[in-house]
Amino acid sequence: MADERIIRVGTRKSQLALVQTNSVIQMLRALDDTLKFETVPMSTVGDRILDSALSKIGEKSLFTKELETALLKNQVDFVVHSLKDLPTNLPEGLVIGCVCKRDNPYDAVVLHPKHQRKTLKDLPDGSVIGTSSLRRAAQIKRVYPQHKIENIRGNLNTRFKKLAENDVYDGIILAVAGLTRMGWEHCIAQVLTPEECMYAVSQGAMAVECRDGDERILSLLNKIHDHTSTIECVAERAFLWKLEGGCSVPVSVFTEVSKDQLSVKGGVFSIDGSEAVEHSINTDLNNPDIKIPDSTMFVGIHCQIQEKKCEYATAYATGLRLAEEMIGKGADSILKTAKAMSKEEILAEHARKQEEEKEKKMKRKHADDEPLSHMDPVKRYLMAQHHDMSQVLMSGAASIPLPSSSQHHNLSELQLLGKMGQGPSSQESEASSSSSSSSL
Ligand code: DPM
């Protein structure tokens, strides 16, 4: 049956997510060109909330929840993620079926066009660097205390626009991997070294999530699985899991696998960057003493190659041990304070949002109450053009939708309507445009 071969792939609608999803589909197609795929685009909480730093939203599965629900409901067969956005605990019944070969895991600096050919060290004191990653902020504050860190959010396109047009930011920091996948590596002014800024757990690695026990999909994913990248990510995720970290704590790593040697360095920072615990561990991946568990899942990652299970188990144990030794050096108290501060920020952010909502509602109510006779004459004129007056009176001025035949209205009319709160609200139009171009 032809239809049975169609594989449904859930994806976020952002440009980066679509690029990543397509590249996984291409890899699979290159191995078997009879495979048929259908992509199912969805938007997630992380895509919809554009005005808060990720760390201030306070939800763990920001970019994944809706997609995971679709997987569990059998609406899609697999989902491609940036592994760094996948929490260390997956929902029951789901697994990471494969980790693809990791791209460059480092962070990059993109500078304002006026700072051509400069790097962070050449920028004037007091330069403003945009990032909403606590991890990046803390490390930059340590190495470049002369610069200021400011929050910046929105998709990659929006951030570039803010950098180029607003004259607020002298530079921004983004993952090399994301920039490269978007085809924007030529904008990179500087790639940060691990001495300047260690990367996030699993940064640069794409992962495919599917249903646990879905053998057809798992055996397919096995073909594009990269063992070394997987081992690195198992160790890093075990480290993060033990620290109970998420995107709201400044935790970073630097991992290398060379022959049978695994080396993992971890960093835990206070929010202001003044305190740090850094530590590293080296292990032999073929550790004969390692206890191999029955489970085939390590921090959510499915063990694809049974003969290599010892290496998965060693990587997992190494990540845990690194976290334990760092806790012994005081990482837990730094994290406790950082988490408490993040929690406060999250609460403040929620309060701010609620206030904003209230204000919006009030404004809408005022507009509802506004008698037509007191209304701006231009507004009345435009409304009367699109609706007969009885409809205007019955439905209340503010709730009138844009006419469905809006295509033939000229732009300035539409802009006017929009400005006066009659068109799609600015928030809605931002959300819908961002869902097709959001890049984080
Ligand atoms: C997470 C963080 C960020 C993303 C936090 C961190 C960056 C947030 C920001 C967990 N997810 O890194 O400390 O700067 O506001 C994200 C990006 C990619 C995956 C974009 C980026 C692309 C690279 C990859 C957002 N998630 O980090 O510049 O595949 O790793």
Side-chain angles (χ1 to χ4, degrees):
M1 283 253 298
D3 260 2
E4 266 181 11
R5 290 199 60 85
I6 293 186
I7 297 162
R8 295 152 310 162
V9 188
T11 179
R12 288 171 51 216
K13 296 177 198 166
S14 74
Q15 201 179 334
L16 181 60
L18 290 170
V19 168
Q20 295 186 164
T21 301
N22 284 335
S23 82
V24 165
I25 291 177
Q26 291 308 324
M27 280 189 248
L28 290 169
R29 245 197 212 127
L31 297 167
D32 178 355
D33 63 6
T34 66
L35 291 173
K36 293 200 169 50
F37 297 92
E38 183 195 334
T39 47
V40 183
M42 296 173 207
S43 59
T44 63
V45 178
D47 297 311
R48 288 192 289 270
I49 308 179
L50 295 169
D51 55 346
S52 303
L54 295 186
S55 57
K56 292 187 189 171
I57 301 173
E59 269 198 51
K60 278 212 176 114
S61 352
L62 270 184
F63 290 118
T64 55
K65 202 167 174 181
E66 288 83 350
L67 294 157
E68 290 178 331
T69 308
L71 265 177
L72 287 167
K73 285 187 179 165
N74 242 313
Q75 292 162 342
V76 297
D77 300 308
F78 70 70
V79 176
V80 180
H81 299 282
S82 291
L83 185 51
K84 85 160 166 171
D85 292 330
L86 267 186
T88 48
N89 289 313
L90 297 192
E92 181 81 36
L94 299 182
V95 286
I96 294 165
C98 76
V99 176
C100 303
K101 189 166 171 32
R102 191 176 201 174
D103 292 314
N104 187 325
Y106 297 105
D107 289 315
V109 181
V110 179
L111 292 178
H112 190 283
K114 71 184 172 200
H115 294 308
Q116 256 187 24
R117 278 185 280 279
K118 287 198 176 139
T119 59
L120 288 182
K121 71 170 173 12
D122 319 314
L123 290 184
D125 287 2
S127 290
V128 174
I129 309 301
T131 178
S132 65
S133 151
L134 299 174
R135 170 187 64 82
R136 289 171 182 152
Q139 294 184 92
I140 295 299
K141 281 177 194 163
R142 292 177 70 77
V143 189
Y144 298 100
Q146 70 274 32
H147 300 323
K148 282 203 297 216
I149 303 286
E150 292 277 350
N151 211 25
I152 185 167
R153 255 227 81 195
N155 57 61
L156 281 185
N157 303 288
T158 313
R159 290 191 193 199
F160 267 77
K161 229 174 133 195
K162 284 182 181 168
L163 176 66
E165 290 173 10
N166 289 12
D167 228 21
V168 172
Y169 303 101
D170 293 288
I172 53 178
I173 303 179
L174 295 164
V176 173
L179 288 167
T180 309
R181 288 176 199 145
M182 298 282 280
W184 295 347
E185 61 271 48
H186 57 280
C187 300
I188 296 175
Q190 171 184 13
V191 174
L192 295 170
T193 63
E195 290 73 36
E196 292 170 296
C197 184
M198 288 193 281
Y199 41 82
V201 163
S202 305
Q203 185 161 311
M206 289 192 296
V208 185
E209 191 177 18
C210 64
R211 282 178 292 276
D212 192 8
D214 187 342
E215 294 307 328
R216 179 171 82 121
I217 299 295
L218 282 170
S219 68
L220 212 63
L221 297 180
N222 189 19
K223 298 178 187 160
I224 56 165
H225 151 91
D226 184 85
H227 182 64
T228 303
S229 305
T230 307
I231 290 302
E232 290 176 10
C233 293
V234 166
E236 294 175 10
R237 280 171 65 84
F239 168 66
L240 189 66
W241 177 80
K242 184 74 194 172
L243 293 177
E244 294 174 32
C247 63
S248 56
V249 284
V251 171
S252 63
V253 287
F254 170 56
T255 310
E256 284 177 310
V257 175
S258 152
K259 295 213 176 86
D260 292 336
Q261 289 298 309
L262 166 69
S263 109
V264 197
K265 181 172 180 191
V268 166
F269 307 92
S270 60
I271 303 266
D272 66 359
S274 66
E275 290 172 84
V277 172
E278 291 172 306
H279 184 54
S280 48
I281 287 194
N282 291 304
T283 349
D284 187 343
L285 280 171
N286 287 319
N287 181 352
D289 304 326
I290 195 87
K291 194 172 168 289
I292 300 180
D294 291 335
S295 165
T296 54
M297 207 161 56
F298 297 85
V299 256
I301 301 177
H302 179 72
C303 173
Q304 286 281 18
I305 311 165
Q306 277 302 315
E307 313 84 73
K308 298 269 189 181
K309 207 169 171 184
C310 166
E311 297 191 7
Y312 281 70
T314 308
Y316 180 77
T318 307
L320 292 190
R321 185 153 68 86
L322 178 64
E324 276 156 13
E325 291 184 10
M326 286 176 65
I327 288 169
K329 287 168 168 255
D332 54 343
S333 77
I334 294 180
L335 276 178
K336 209 172 144 201
T337 315
K339 283 178 193 168
M341 279 173 80
S342 287
K343 206 169 162 188
E344 252 172 55
E345 295 266 350
I346 290 166
L347 290 174
E349 187 70 7
H350 282 215
R352 183 183 74 78
K353 293 225 146 212
Q354 268 179 358
E355 246 346 275
E356 235 177 53
E357 276 305 309
K358 244 197 235 160
E359 260 168 47
K360 259 191 226 149
K361 258 193 205 146
M362 289 284 277
K363 274 193 195 139
R364 253 178 265 146
K365 191 167 178 311
H366 281 310
D368 276 345
D369 295 344
E370 195 179 349
L372 276 175
S373 54
H374 294 155
M375 215 183 252
D376 180 319
V378 185
K379 200 166 162 185
R380 269 174 72 187
Y381 166 77
L382 284 173
M383 281 168 59
Q385 257 199 342
H386 305 308
H387 302 269
D388 70 86
M389 276 319 250
S390 61
Q391 206 186 336
V392 172
L393 289 167
M394 275 171 60
S395 52
S399 55
I400 292 171
L402 257 190
S404 57
S405 56
S406 57
Q407 289 93 322
H408 65 246
H409 299 297
N410 70 38
L411 195 64
S412 58
E413 258 183 81
L414 281 178
Q415 279 168 341
L416 254 170
L417 277 169
K419 274 203 187 105
M420 295 185 308
Q422 304 297 309
S425 78
S426 53
Q427 198 195 12
E428 265 164 23
S429 51
E430 165 146 304
S432 57
S433 66
S434 76
S435 54
S436 56
S437 64
S438 151
S439 308
L440 289 178

